[in-house]
Each structure stands twice: as C-alpha cells, then as structure tokens.
Amino acid sequence: MLRGPAHSVPATAAAAGGGGQPLVVTLNCLEDPSVERDALAGAAAVEHAPLSALASGHVEAAAAVLLTSLAFLPRAAQRRLRPWQLLLCLGSPDRAADAAAAAELGLRLVHVDANRAEEIADTVMALFLGLLRRTHLLSGHASSSTPSAGWLGSVQPLCRGMRRCRGLVLGIVGVNAAARCLATRSLAFRMSVLYFDPLYEGAGKTKRPSIVFPSSARRMDTLNDLLAASDLVSLHCALTNDTTNIISAERLQHIKPGAFIVNTSSCQLIDDCALKQLLLDGTIAGCALDGAEGPQWMEAWVHEMPNVLILPRSADYSEEVWMEIREKAITILQSFFFDGIVPNNAISDEDEAISDVGCEDDQLYKQANEHSLRVCDGEQQTDESQLTLECDKRRAISKPEVPEASGQSQSIGLRSEGRRSRFGKKGKKRPARRRSQQKMDELSTVESGSNYSSRRDDDTVMSGRDQVLSSSSRFASPEESKNKLRSSAESPMEIISEHKLPAGLGRKPPERLKDGFVVALRTRDNLGFHVSRERVAGGGWYLDVVSNATKRDPASQFLITFKNKVDTMGLRSFVAGGKLLQVNKKAELVFASHAFDIWESWTLEGSLLECCKLVNHRNPLAVLEVYIEILAAVSEEDGVTRWLD
Ligand SMILES: NC(=O)c1ccc[n+]([C@@H]2O[C@H](COP(=O)([O-])OP(=O)(O)OC[C@H]3O[C@@H](n4cnc5c(N)ncnc54)[C@H](O)[C@@H]3O)[C@@H](O)[C@H]2O)c1
C-alpha cells in the first residue's frame, strides 16, 4: 500500500483545493465529477481539467489525478503530472502501456478497473444480431423512405440473407470470461456452440478453473474444423506471438461460406486484406470489428458496405461498469485522504465472479429451482414470482436443516455445490496480478487472541514509484476514519434496544450498534453461528454456518464498521484478516475485500430485540436473518473496546 498525502504531498499541493483541502483533478475524463465531489466532501476538492485548460495549473497542484490512460495522454499533459501525485487510471484500455509510461515518467499509478465480460458478450450478441437481422439497414431505410413506400416490398432486397439465430452454429476462438458469457447467451438463443482454445483443457482438468464452458458447448480440436463448421465466428483470444494473424488468408479458406465474423479482440488477429477480399466476393456474409486499424478499413466504401459494422472500441463499456469503476476510485481516494493509504485492491476479484454468473445452463437452472423450492418448503406463498424472490432471499440465510458445517458458501445464487466448486479464482496470467498476490505482512492480533490471516487475494496493479506496504489499514476503512473525524455524528443505523438476545451476556449489552463493536451472528433457528471459513488453504473466505461454534470462536466474531453519511454498515471478519462480508456476483456470501464498497454494505432491518435482517445494498435479495449478539463495545469513557463478559 502507498502512503497517502499526509506523508507525501507537499503542503502547497495539499492546500491547492482551497479551504486547506487537497485537490483531486479529473484529467481529460469525468467532465462532471459531482459524484466524486460529493463523496469526498470535507476531505478534498474535485475539479475537472480538460486538455484545453492545462495552463490553469490545476494538474500540477493536485494531490490525486484521475485519468483513463496515461500512455494515451498528450505529452503536454503528461509533463504536468508530478511524482508525488496519486494517479488513478480508470478502466485503462492498455494497462501494460500505462504502467510502462508511469515507470518511464517516474509517476505513481494505480489501475482501477472492473470486469467487462458481460459487456463484451452483450456487444458480440448485438453485432451478430445486427448482422443477421440487418436492423441498422432496415431502420435507416424506414426512416428515410416515404410512408407510402410500403414496408416489405421496397425493403425486400435489404432482407435478402437475413437469418434466424435458432439452429446456427457459433464458433468461439479463445476461452475467456467474455467468451463464456457469450456461449451462455448463444445457447439461450438456441444456437449450437463450438469453441477452440489449445490452452483450455476442458472442465475438471483446466489450467484456468475459473473458466468453465457450458457442458453443451463442444470443443474443436483444430481451428480449421471450427471455421468450417461455424455460421458465426467470434474471436476472444489474447494477442500473442502464436495468435497474431491467427485468422490468416490460408485459414480463411476453411471458413464456411456465408459465415459472419465478429472480432472484439485485437485487430492483429485477422488478416484484414484477406477478410476484405472474402467480404467482397461474398464468401463471408458480414463482419463486425470493435476497433479497426489500418488503411484498408479507412476507405469510404468499407463504411458503405451494409454487411460491415465497425465500432469505436466500445465493446466493453456500460454505464454500470463505469459507475463500478468510479465507486472503486472513490473508495481508494477516501482511503488515501482519510487514512493516508491507498488500498491494494484496485482491480477486484469481481473480475472473475462476474463471469461466473453467465455459466448456468438449463440443467443448472433446473437444479437451482428445485433447490429453491426445497428451501422454501412450508412457507405460504401465493404468487410464483414472489415465491422465487422469497426463496432467493432464504438462500442467503443459514441452512437450518443442516446445522453442521456445510462446507459451502452461503449464496442467493442458483448454484449447486458441485458446480460452484468448479469455479475458483481465475488463474491470473497478467504479470502485475501475479505480483499483487505476494504474501502480505503479518496482521496484528486482537484481544481475543485470534490469528488473522495475512493472505491477500485482492488484485492491484501498481507502477512507477515504490509501493509502501502497511498493515495499518486492515481495519481502517475510509469510513472508519471519517467516523473518527466526525466523532460526534451518530450513525444513522444506530438502534436503541433492550437486547433480549438468545444467549445472555454477562452484563447488559450496549443499547446501540456502533462503529468498532464486535458481534456474533446467531442463526435464525438459533442452532448455530455464522462463521468465516476458508475454502481450502489460499482458496478464499466465505460465510458458513456451524452448529458447534461459540461466540468466543474468532471465526464467529465480526467487527462492525459504519459507512458514514449512508445508513449502511460492514462486517469485517477477524479470521479473514479484516475482509468485509460481501455478496459476490455469484451471489455467494464471501469475504474478498478490505475496501468498503457497495457490495460490502448492509442495512439492518428490524429490531435487535429479535431476529433481524441484514440486507445487502448491491443485491437486496441477499438477506441474512440473524440474532446479533454484541460481544465487545467501545467504552464511551475512554474509547477502548472491551469484551462485555
Ligand atoms: N473490445 C474490447 O473492449 C476489449 C476489452 C477487453 C479485452 N479485449 C481483447 O480481448 C482479448 C482477450 O483479452 P483477455 O484479457 O480476455 O485475455 P485472456 O488472456 O484472459 O484470454 C485469452 C484467451 O485466449 C486463449 N488463447 C491463447 N492462445 C490461443 C490460441 N492460439 N488459440 C485460441 N485461443 C488462444 C487463452 O487460452 C485465453 O483463454 C485481447 O485481445 C484484448 O485486447 C477487448
């Protein structure tokens, strides 16, 4: 972790935001940084600096700068950046290039990103559908023609060659998360899915356990076979020495006549000239490229071809993913300004979790539905959709029928254990990610004497200046610091109660849940405790239920952390090294991150007097019904946290 402004920013810069506040500049991005401004209110001023206003001096004066890419920034702007500034690269299109540029310029850069597999899969589907259904052409024709022109007669030529999805064969080259999401979507469209990837060895024996294709997708032994059998071809392989020009002129001879090609990966995977030739002679029915390089795609006639779609490298964008990235950046900045620390998880584990969501096939959904009905057995429901919703909620709750440790993550997702266990963390091949998995420094122990895990599975890409490791942030989120700054402010979630807990404490517990309290979560059926558990050594932490646990077991103890300003709280697990309980995108209850983001935010519903609900902010279907036992509380007299017994 980096030391923040308190340690490294010159006083002039720290005061540059006016009112003694440090300044954050959004450089050539985020024209409207109002979200960031609100989130950092009281800690830093936030200004947008367009390239046209570089001379204003804002960039030089900033303590932190947000940008999309350092490498693609004009030299004039790069020169204004300073070594002591924290540069956050939001969703960089080329992390390696940015890291290299930062190293060269001696700048301190942190990448902030989120997984885009869903976006890419959506885009590929949209492009295939556009090519197959010719929506762009027909829409253009409809809006330009007179109403009396009729609808079908005049457009009949445009409709020639239109295809339906059902029954078509999709061939996927390269197995990655986006490819898998695409496979799932295509199966839902009743297409057959083939794939080719010499590095992917199939479910069960794959080197990349996080990528598991639907079982109904068929693996092809050679690329030529895949090209010969596919009506639609989508490229997802990374650009390497082996894959450069992988769709060569020679390979294209094998392509099925009338096929469509979509490429959202590197332009250099395809021999453009050969592709163009086949488009012209009609062998290939159409193609879509997310980004096109080279003069052959610049010619005007290409843009006039009805069967060629070219996007401006936008395949992986969505408002949702952009907001996720901004939220992460805000968390990092809060940590930087309040604690003087930059958290390491600039690129989160959600990278993989998101892609796992798309892997359900029909059988899986069937299993899940059966499971949900079982869990909900005995509950009165009148409406089917309501039933599903309630069942989903229940899955977030402990397994009342199975008091012993289940060995499963708690989840609201539709996934059986057998299936879930096949998904692990993606085997990272990016060097920066491997670096980030180095063992962290030992964590301190707490009063209970528990040993905290120092494992870190967050992903960070740091470049340029040295990274300064610190263990002090394990339990010090930005929100906690903010609370310290605003100690007089009461948490909006504080609940006054008389505490009739299932198991009595030695003395009367405090009346309110507060920041810094230690709690245990008794299950709704009162038969056990929720505990943090490690899947396998190094396999990540998840929330489980154990009947023979006690509230004194460190695994049952959670530190309450409040998010200031909003009525949400987080639960940090002691044994998981202070990581916060979150619902991941597979809808499992896990401990994956130290950063307090929306995934880690919970609202308390109901009264502490009785079984109450913890509802996740990001996924309100994730509801934990628990009795909250306060084990340790912060003394109002001396500010020391003490056990209540
Ligand atoms: N259009 C966009 O917005 C966008 C966004 C992100 C990534 N991309 C592109 O997508 C591509 C993949 O990126 P990634 O980060 O998912 O890569 P990745 O490394 O995660 O996956 C690439 C896959 O290619 C496979 N592969 C390697 N050699 C192969 C071969 N000879 N034949 C077939 N498959 C092979 C690998 O096994 C791997 O599974 C890159 O070219 C990247 O630039 C595009």
Side-chain angles (χ1 to χ4, degrees):
M1 291 169 208
L2 296 172
R3 280 284 154 203
H7 311 273
S8 54
V9 178
T12 50
Q21 289 188 345
L23 178 66
V24 176
V25 164
T26 60
L27 177 55
N28 197 28
C29 67
L30 284 177
E31 283 174 29
D32 174 14
S34 51
V35 177
E36 288 73 11
R37 198 171 284 137
D38 288 350
L40 294 170
V46 184
E47 298 291 339
H48 170 59
L51 291 180
S52 56
L54 285 177
S56 67
H58 277 77
V59 178
E60 295 90 328
V65 179
L66 306 188
L67 63 167
T68 47
S69 170
L70 181 61
F72 294 123
L73 207 58
R75 203 72 180 164
Q78 287 180 349
R79 275 200 294 267
R80 294 184 183 266
L81 297 167
R82 297 290 176 259
W84 43 263
Q85 292 172 329
L86 171 66
L87 308 185
L88 295 188
C89 231
L90 309 189
S92 165
D94 189 339
R95 288 184 207 147
D98 286 331
E104 190 191 326
L105 297 166
L107 300 173
R108 192 170 63 175
L109 182 75
V110 172
H111 286 293
V112 185
D113 213 336
N115 183 282
R116 330 283 188 89
E118 300 283 353
E119 281 73 13
I120 293 173
D122 286 346
T123 303
V124 176
M125 282 310 289
L127 291 171
F128 274 135
L129 289 170
L131 289 168
L132 290 169
R133 306 303 307 160
R134 307 207 168 177
T135 43
H136 53 298
L137 292 176
L138 293 167
S139 165
H141 177 88
S143 51
S144 62
S145 62
T146 57
S148 59
W151 74 275
L152 191 57
S154 62
V155 299
Q156 193 78 49
L158 290 178
C159 293
R160 204 164 296 135
M162 273 172 76
R163 308 281 306 270
R164 70 171 173 212
C165 294
R166 183 175 176 172
L168 294 183
V169 178
L170 166 69
I172 292 175
V173 183
V175 169
N176 65 2
R180 192 178 53 190
C181 292
L182 174 65
T184 310
R185 284 160 173 69
S186 305
L187 289 170
F189 275 75
R190 304 292 181 88
M191 300 186 207
S192 305
V193 177
L194 309 175
Y195 63 93
F196 168 76
D197 185 337
L199 307 181
Y200 178 76
E201 294 173 12
K205 49 184 177 172
T206 176
K207 289 173 194 159
R208 303 177 66 189
S210 68
I211 308 288
V212 179
F213 255 46
S215 54
S216 45
R218 206 174 109 212
R219 182 195 166 133
M220 302 301 280
D221 291 333
T222 70
L223 182 52
N224 287 348
D225 288 347
L226 178 131
L227 293 176
S230 303
D231 300 297
L232 313 170
V233 176
S234 184
L235 304 183
H236 295 272
C237 46
L239 184 67
T240 66
N241 288 340
D242 291 338
T243 59
T244 302
N245 217 19
I246 191 171
I247 307 296
S248 61
E250 194 277 320
R251 280 254 162 67
L252 283 169
Q253 297 304 315
H254 295 267
I255 201 157
K256 185 173 177 177
F260 294 88
I261 296 184
V262 167
N263 184 18
T264 51
S265 293
S266 169
C267 306
Q268 294 173 53
L269 298 176
I270 303 184
D271 181 333
D272 291 323
C273 294
L275 175 60
K276 254 177 70 178
Q277 195 51 49
L278 293 179
L279 281 166
L280 286 173
D281 71 23
T283 307
I284 290 179
C287 82
L289 310 170
D290 184 35
E293 286 170 14
Q296 59 274 22
W297 299 111
M298 303 304 163
E299 294 165 28
W301 68 268
V302 172
H303 295 278
E304 285 163 17
M305 282 179 79
N307 55 344
V308 175
L309 300 177
I310 298 181
L311 297 183
R313 204 77 192 154
S314 54
D316 62 351
Y317 180 82
S318 71
E319 292 294 336
E320 289 87 352
V321 90
W322 183 232
M323 194 44 79
E324 277 176 33
I325 292 169
R326 288 176 72 177
E327 284 170 0
K328 284 183 185 178
I330 286 169
T331 304
I332 288 173
L333 288 171
Q334 287 172 333
S335 187
F336 186 63
F337 288 116
F338 287 118
D339 293 345
I341 290 167
V342 177
N344 283 304
N345 57 338
I347 304 168
S348 88
D349 295 343
E350 290 153 26
D351 245 17
E352 279 57 66
I354 190 171
S355 56
D356 291 344
V357 171
C359 200
E360 284 84 12
D361 52 22
D362 291 349
Q363 198 188 354
L364 181 62
Y365 277 118
K366 209 170 138 200
Q367 284 172 2
N369 285 335
E370 284 165 10
H371 172 68
S372 66
L373 290 171
R374 254 199 332 271
V375 174
C376 288
D377 195 28
E379 297 201 7
Q380 286 191 349
Q381 299 290 340
T382 50
D383 178 70
E384 202 178 324
S385 60
Q386 195 184 354
L387 173 73
T388 311
L389 183 72
E390 283 304 310
C391 290
D392 285 348
K393 284 184 181 176
R394 295 296 175 269
R395 272 193 293 282
I397 302 166
S398 61
K399 297 146 196 83
E401 307 294 316
V402 189
E404 283 303 322
S406 69
Q408 293 184 7
S409 320
Q410 292 180 60
S411 165
I412 61 158
L414 308 176
R415 193 165 280 110
S416 67
E417 169 59 14
R419 180 125 193 147
R420 185 191 57 68
S421 64
R422 302 219 307 267
F423 300 116
K425 253 176 77 76
K426 181 177 175 182
K428 301 287 187 290
K429 71 271 162 264
R430 297 180 183 107
R433 289 190 162 202
R434 279 201 296 270
R435 279 201 301 278
S436 77
Q437 287 166 358
Q438 290 163 358
K439 197 169 183 264
M440 287 286 285
D441 48 339
E442 285 301 313
L443 290 167
S444 59
T445 54
V446 290
E447 209 175 323
S448 64
S450 60
N451 288 320
Y452 293 0
S453 164
S454 62
R455 190 169 296 107
R456 188 183 71 176
D457 52 13
D458 305 325
D459 302 311
T460 307
V461 184
M462 306 279 294
S463 48
R465 310 283 289 190
D466 288 345
Q467 301 174 31
V468 182
L469 293 176
S470 163
S471 62
S472 64
S473 69
R474 291 303 182 278
F475 295 97
S477 71
E479 294 71 26
E480 287 168 316
S481 307
K482 277 201 253 175
N483 285 348
K484 279 174 213 153
L485 286 176
R486 305 168 190 180
S487 56
S488 59
E490 297 265 86
S491 163
M493 269 190 62
E494 285 171 358
I495 292 177
I496 300 172
S497 80
E498 292 177 7
H499 270 273
K500 287 176 196 157
L501 297 169
L505 292 165
R507 87 179 199 227
K508 194 179 177 231
E511 295 179 337
R512 300 165 177 177
L513 270 188
K514 283 189 178 175
D515 212 35
F517 279 20
V518 179
V519 300
L521 306 177
R522 216 174 241 284
T523 57
R524 184 178 60 151
D525 56 17
N526 222 353
L527 290 175
F529 281 94
H530 292 272
V531 297
S532 0
R533 228 177 140 93
E534 207 173 12
R535 280 199 176 96
V536 288
W541 294 86
Y542 65 101
L543 191 72
D544 201 0
V545 172
V546 174
S547 62
N548 58 1
T550 72
K551 61 193 177 196
R552 295 183 190 284
D553 295 333
S556 312
Q557 295 174 356
F558 303 94
L559 183 72
I560 296 292
T561 303
F562 274 93
K563 203 160 194 168
N564 223 7
K565 289 209 295 189
V566 287
D567 57 346
T568 55
M569 70 177 187
L571 294 111
R572 294 187 184 274
S573 161
F574 282 172
V575 293
K579 287 180 179 172
L580 286 147
L581 179 66
Q582 63 159 245
V583 178
N584 66 18
K585 292 192 177 168
K586 287 188 283 181
E588 295 168 340
L589 297 173
V590 296
F591 301 88
S593 170
H594 293 103
F596 196 166
D597 216 331
I598 188 161
W599 296 96
E600 292 83 18
S601 299
W602 298 84
T603 306
L604 187 60
E605 282 183 6
S607 163
L608 287 180
L609 292 169
E610 49 204 37
C611 184
C612 52
K613 288 182 178 175
L614 289 168
V615 184
N616 186 263
H617 253 222
R618 179 66 195 229
N619 183 350
L621 291 181
V623 182
L624 260 179
E625 290 192 45
V626 289
Y627 290 96
I628 296 180
E629 290 194 36
I630 300 172
L631 308 179
V634 187
S635 159
E636 285 181 5
E637 286 147 27
D638 57 11
V640 173
T641 302
R642 292 194 174 84
W643 298 111
L644 296 183
D645 271 341

